[in-house]
C-alpha cells in the first residue's frame, strides 16, 4: 500500500513501458539463439581429494515460450578418501577395494584409501514449454557415467501461476536408476577384509579367500522423488519460495569402499569389517527461500530441514548478499552453516566380542557433524560478456558418537576435521 | 527434540509472516526490481549445481531446493 502511494501515474507508466520494452528486447535477444555458459572449478582437500570439474550449458529458446537446455559435466577426481577405519599407534595394512595390492597407513594417521581416482561424464537435456497462458511444464533426462557407477534418470514438473502471476504452485516427479559396479566386486556386508600377510600358499589361495567376501553382480539403486513448490511474490522487493520434498531410495546403499575397525578393550584394531547399510531410505525435506532487493544489493537467504528414517536430521542456513558495485559488477559474500545428527547405524568402530547390530557404518559423513562455508564471488563483464569468479572455503567438524564404548586417546584423532577449497570461473557466451 | 523445536518455530515464523501481509503480490508494472536477473529464484544455477554436487558427496543430506538424487557414486 505504501508503495502505491509513492508512485504517481507518470511513474507507473514509465515503469510499465520500461518493463514491456525490456521484455520485448529480451525476447528478441533470446529468440532462436543459443545461449552458452561455461564453468570450470577446482576443488581441493589438503592431503585428500582433488577434483577438476567442467560444466557447459546450452539453452535455445523457441517461440518465446519454449526452451531446450543441454548440460554437459566432466569431472576428474583423484586423491585419498577416508576408509572408515580408525588411526592406530602401529602401522596398518589394508587390501585395496579391487583386491589387487595393499596400502599402508602410518601410526597415528587417519586411514585414507589412496586409490581414489575416477572420471565422470554427465549429460542432461530438458525441455520446457507453456501449456496454457498460466501453466508450463518441464521434462528432462539425465545420464551419468563413471568407471564404477552409472545413473539414468527422468524428471517432470508442472507449474501453474495464479493471482497475476504472483503465486506459482508446482509439482515435480523424478525417477533414477543407478548401477554400482566396483572393481573387484561388491563386498559382503560385515565380511572381514582379507589381508595377505603371507598366510596364503599362493595368489590363487588369496584370491579365493578374497572372492568369498564378494557379492555377485552389480548393485542397483532406485530413487523416486516428489517435489512440491510454492513461489510467492510478497511485494515489489521481495519474493519467497517454499518446497516440500519426499525421496524414496531403495537398493544397494552401502558404500563398497568403507570398513569398520574391530578393536579390543585397549583400542587396538584386530581386524576390519566391510560396512553394511539398510537397503531403503526415506527422506522428507522442507526448504524456504527469501530474496529481498535493497537499494543497492540483494539478499538471498534460505533454510532447509531434512529428516530421514536413517535418523539423520539436518539444518542448513545459507546467506548470499549481492552487493552491486557499479552498473555491471557486483561482489557476493556467501555464508553457509550445516548441522546433521548421526544415522542410527553409525558406529566409529566395533568392539571385539560384542554382538553385531543389523547395520553399521563408520563413514564419518553419516555421523554427527557441523560444517560451514565462507565464500566470495565477483561478477563483472569481459567485453560485453558476463563473467564470475568465485572462491569458497569449506570446513567440516565431525562430532563424537554416542556409540563409543572404548576410550580412544586424543593423539589418534578419531574425528579429524576436513577442509576444502574451491575456485570457480564462469563465463556467459552471450 | 531440538530438531522438532527448530522446525516448529520455522513454520510458525513463516505462517505469521505471510499472515501479516494484508495484500501479497504486485501489479505488472511493479515488477522492476523483481525482473532483475539477480532476483530470479535461482539466479546462479551453475553455482547451485556445483554446490549440490559438493555437498552431496560430503554430507548425508541433499535436495530441498531441487531433487535430492545425485546420480554419482561420490566417495
Amino acid at each position: 500500500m505504501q508503495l502505491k502511494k509513492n508512485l504517481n501515474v507518470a511513474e507507473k507508466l514509465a515503469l510499465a513501458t520500461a518493463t514491456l520494452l525490456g521484455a520485448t528486447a529480451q525476447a528478441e535477444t533470446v529468440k532462436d539463439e543459443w545461449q552458452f555458459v561455461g564453468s570450470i572449478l577446482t576443488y581441493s582437500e589438503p592431503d585428500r581429494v582433488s577434483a577438476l570439474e567442467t560444466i557447459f550449458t546450452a539453452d535455445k529458446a523457441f517461440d518465446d515460450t519454449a526452451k531446450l537446455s543441454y548440460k554437459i559435466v566432466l569431472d576428474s577426481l583423484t586423491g585419498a578418501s577416508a576408509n572408515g577405519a580408525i588411526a592406530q599407534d602401529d602401522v596398518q595394512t589394508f587390501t585395496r577395494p579391487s583386491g589387487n595390492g595393499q596400502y599402508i597407513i602410518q601410526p597415528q594417521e587417519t586411514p585414507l584409501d589412496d586409490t581414489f581416482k575416477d572420471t565422470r561424464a554427465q549429460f542432461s537435456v530438458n525441455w520446457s514449454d507453456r501449456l496454457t497462458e498460466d501453466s508450463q511444464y518441464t521434462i528432462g533426462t539425465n545420464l551419468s557415467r563413471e568407471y564404477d557407477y552409472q545413473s539414468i534418470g527422468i524428471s517432470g514438473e508442472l507449474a501453474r501461476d495464479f493471482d497475476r502471476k504472483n503465486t506459482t504452485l508446482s509439482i515435480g516427479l523424478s525417477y533414477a536408476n543407478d548401477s554400482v559396479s566396483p572393481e573387484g566386486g561388491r563386498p559382503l556386508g560385515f565380511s572381514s577384509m582379507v589381508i595377505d600377510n603371507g598366510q596364503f600358499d599362493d595368489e590363487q589361495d588369496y584370491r579365493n579367500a578374497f572372492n568369498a567376501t564378494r557379492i555377485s553382480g552389480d548393485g542397483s539403486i532406485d530413487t523416486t522423488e516428489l517435489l512440491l513448490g510454492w513461489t510467492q511474490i510478497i511485494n515489489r522487493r521481495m519474493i519467497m519460495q517454499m518446497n516440500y520434498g519426499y525421496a524414496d531410495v531403495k537398493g544397494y546403499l552401502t558404500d563398497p569402499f568403507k570398513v569398520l575397525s574391530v578393536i579390543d578393550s585397549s583400542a587396538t584394531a584386530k581386524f576390519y569389517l566391510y560396512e553394511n547399510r539398510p537397503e531403503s531410505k526415506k527422506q522428507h525435506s522442507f526448504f524456504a527461500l527469501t530474496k529481498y532487493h535493497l537499494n543497492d544489493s540483494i539478499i538471498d537467504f534460505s533454510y532447509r530441514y531434512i529428516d530421514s528414517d536413517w535418523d539423520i536430521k539436518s539444518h542448513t542456513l545459507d546467506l548470499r548478499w549481492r552487493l552491486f558495485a557499479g552498473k555491471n559488477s557486483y561482489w557476493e559474500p556467501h555464508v553457509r552453516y550445516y548441522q546433521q545428527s548421526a544415522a542410527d547405524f553409525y558406529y566409529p568402530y566395533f568392539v571385539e566380542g560384542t554382538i553385531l547390530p543389523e547395520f553399521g557404518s563408520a563413514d564419518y559423513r553419516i555421523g554427527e557433524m557441523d560444517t560451514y562455508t565462507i565464500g566470495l564471488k565477483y561478477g563483472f563483464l569481459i567485453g560485453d560478456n558476463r563473467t564470475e569468479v568465485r572462491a569458497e572455503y569449506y570446513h567440516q567438524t565431525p562430532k563424537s558418537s554416542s556409540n563409543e564404548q572404548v576410550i580412544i586417546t586424543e593423539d589418534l584423532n578419531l574425528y579429524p576435521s576436513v577442509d576444502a577449497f574451491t575456485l570457480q570461473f564462469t563465463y556467459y557466451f552471450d | 527434540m531440538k530438531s522438532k523445536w527448530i522446525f516448529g518455530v520455522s513454520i510458525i515464523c513463516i505462517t505469521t509472516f505471510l499472515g501479516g501481509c494484508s495484500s501479497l503480490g504486485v501489479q505488472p508494472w511493479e515488477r522492476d526490481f523483481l525482473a532483475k536477473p539477480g532476483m530470479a529464484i535461482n539466479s546462479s544455477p551453475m553455482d547451485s549445481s556445483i554446490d549440490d554436487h559438493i555437498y552431496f558427496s560430503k554430507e548425508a543430506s541433499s535436495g530441498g531446493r531441487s531433487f535430492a538424487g545425485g546420480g554419482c557414486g561420490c566417495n
Side-chain angles (χ1 to χ4, degrees):
Chain A
M1 292 298 287
Q2 187 64 39
L3 178 67
K4 288 178 181 172
K5 285 180 186 172
N6 291 340
L7 289 176
N8 60 34
V9 175
E11 286 172 328
K12 285 181 181 176
L13 282 173
L15 268 176
T17 309
T19 306
L20 288 171
L21 285 176
T24 307
Q26 192 179 14
E28 284 178 354
T29 305
V30 298
K31 188 178 179 182
D32 297 334
E33 282 186 16
W34 286 97
Q35 288 189 313
F36 300 105
V37 184
S39 192
I40 187 163
L41 168 93
T42 61
Y43 173 91
S44 173
E45 297 173 15
D47 303 323
R48 294 199 182 191
V49 176
S50 294
L52 181 69
E53 183 167 284
T54 309
I55 303 178
F56 191 73
T57 63
D59 294 346
K60 184 175 171 62
F62 297 92
D63 304 328
D64 295 342
T65 61
K67 190 168 83 168
L68 182 65
S69 303
Y70 294 102
K71 180 178 175 186
I72 295 171
V73 183
L74 292 172
D75 284 341
S76 174
L77 299 97
T78 185
S81 181
N83 72 358
I86 65 172
Q88 292 285 281
D89 285 322
D90 298 315
V91 168
Q92 296 187 86
T93 302
F94 297 92
T95 300
R96 295 191 187 283
S98 63
N100 302 323
Q102 300 173 330
Y103 56 98
I104 310 292
I105 302 299
Q106 296 304 312
Q108 299 180 355
E109 288 193 359
T110 302
L112 303 175
D113 177 0
D114 62 356
T115 50
F116 186 36
K117 188 175 185 180
D118 214 338
T119 301
R120 184 178 75 107
Q122 180 195 339
F123 175 73
S124 61
V125 56
N126 282 280
W127 169 262
S128 63
D129 197 1
R130 288 220 164 271
L131 272 179
T132 66
E133 181 61 30
D134 292 322
S135 62
Q136 72 168 30
Y137 70 92
T138 304
I139 51 173
T141 185
N142 180 69
L143 302 166
S144 178
R145 172 80 196 176
E146 53 200 287
Y147 178 64
D148 54 6
Y149 199 98
Q150 64 178 5
S151 174
I152 180 168
I154 53 171
S155 62
E157 185 194 69
L158 194 61
R160 191 178 192 287
D161 299 324
F162 299 90
D163 182 26
R164 299 158 291 164
K165 299 186 187 297
N166 282 302
T167 303
T168 304
L169 300 179
S170 65
I171 179 170
L173 290 168
S174 80
Y175 170 78
N177 177 259
D178 296 7
S179 179
V180 191
S181 50
E183 187 179 1
R186 293 178 294 143
L188 191 61
F190 287 161
S191 62
S192 181
M193 177 183 276
V194 175
I195 302 171
D196 187 353
N197 290 318
Q199 74 273 38
F200 297 106
D201 293 337
D202 52 30
E203 173 66 18
Q204 189 57 47
D205 199 18
Y206 158 74
R207 185 54 66 175
N208 290 341
F210 178 81
N211 289 342
T213 66
R214 304 288 117 176
I215 311 170
S216 62
D218 296 343
S220 179
I221 302 171
D222 293 301
T223 305
T224 309
E225 293 187 64
L226 167 73
L227 191 64
L228 303 176
W230 172 26
T231 304
Q232 178 66 51
I233 291 174
I234 306 297
N235 57 38
R236 187 168 158 245
R237 292 177 179 271
M238 186 176 181
I239 187 167
M240 288 188 73
Q241 182 185 49
M242 275 182 270
N243 290 344
Y244 164 76
Y246 174 75
D248 180 66
V249 192
K250 287 190 175 74
Y252 183 71
L253 304 181
T254 294
D255 189 324
F257 308 116
K258 303 297 185 215
V259 298
L260 293 111
S261 299
V262 180
I263 63 174
D264 63 15
S265 56
S266 62
T268 302
K270 310 302 284 186
F271 54 98
Y272 311 98
L273 297 182
Y274 291 103
E275 70 157 48
N276 187 32
R277 302 189 190 195
E279 294 196 335
S280 166
K281 181 183 179 185
K282 293 179 174 61
Q283 174 181 292
H284 300 270
S285 68
F286 171 77
F287 174 79
L289 167 79
T290 299
K291 300 195 79 153
Y292 193 91
H293 199 305
L294 297 162
N295 284 341
D296 296 311
S297 64
I298 295 172
I299 290 177
D300 180 318
F301 176 72
S302 67
Y303 166 75
R304 183 185 69 166
Y305 173 71
I306 290 183
D307 192 357
S308 78
D309 63 354
W310 283 7
D311 218 20
I312 297 172
K313 297 176 174 60
S314 72
H315 300 276
T316 311
L317 298 170
D318 191 290
L319 175 66
R320 292 161 206 263
W321 192 6
R322 182 172 294 196
L323 301 152
F324 296 109
K327 189 180 175 186
N328 295 313
S329 63
Y330 65 85
W331 293 92
E332 188 175 283
H334 173 216
V335 181
R336 178 184 186 269
Y337 174 75
Y338 172 84
Q339 178 204 28
Q340 75 178 33
S341 59
D344 52 12
F345 55 89
Y346 172 74
Y347 296 84
Y349 50 78
F350 285 149
V351 178
E352 191 180 29
T354 56
I355 298 171
L356 285 180
E358 186 178 9
F359 303 108
S361 170
D363 186 348
Y364 81 93
R365 296 173 302 178
I366 59 166
E368 184 179 348
M369 72 160 98
D370 294 344
T371 82
Y372 65 82
T373 305
I374 300 171
L376 182 64
K377 182 163 82 168
Y378 180 55
F380 57 104
L381 293 181
I382 294 181
D384 292 329
N385 296 71
R386 281 193 293 156
T387 309
E388 295 166 353
V389 177
R390 186 167 74 127
E392 301 232 307
Y393 166 69
Y394 176 64
H395 181 81
Q396 288 184 312
T397 310
K399 305 289 184 183
S400 61
S401 167
S402 58
N403 284 331
E404 282 188 56
Q405 299 168 47
V406 174
I407 296 172
I408 309 286
T409 55
E410 281 188 15
D411 57 351
L412 295 184
N413 196 9
L414 201 54
Y415 305 101
S417 60
V418 178
D419 296 305
F421 300 90
T422 59
L423 186 63
Q424 179 191 345
F425 177 82
T426 303
Y427 186 77
Y428 296 76
F429 298 83
D430 49 22
Chain B
M1 189 62 193
K2 185 184 172 188
S3 300
K4 286 181 180 171
W5 186 83
I6 295 174
F7 183 75
V9 169
S10 303
I11 293 292
I12 290 168
C13 287
I14 290 162
T15 308
T16 306
F17 175 77
L18 290 177
C21 296
S22 56
S23 61
L24 297 176
V26 297
Q27 297 296 342
W29 56 83
E30 295 175 322
R31 290 177 176 258
D32 50 340
F33 288 128
L34 298 166
K36 290 185 178 181
M39 280 298 281
I41 283 293
N42 188 0
S43 52
S44 302
M46 195 69 89
D47 296 0
S48 301
S49 167
I50 285 169
D51 290 351
D52 286 350
H53 188 202
I54 290 173
Y55 298 132
F56 175 85
S57 68
K58 302 301 295 179
E59 298 168 354
S61 297
S62 63
R65 180 191 287 270
S66 57
F67 292 117
C72 82
C74 312
N75 304 306

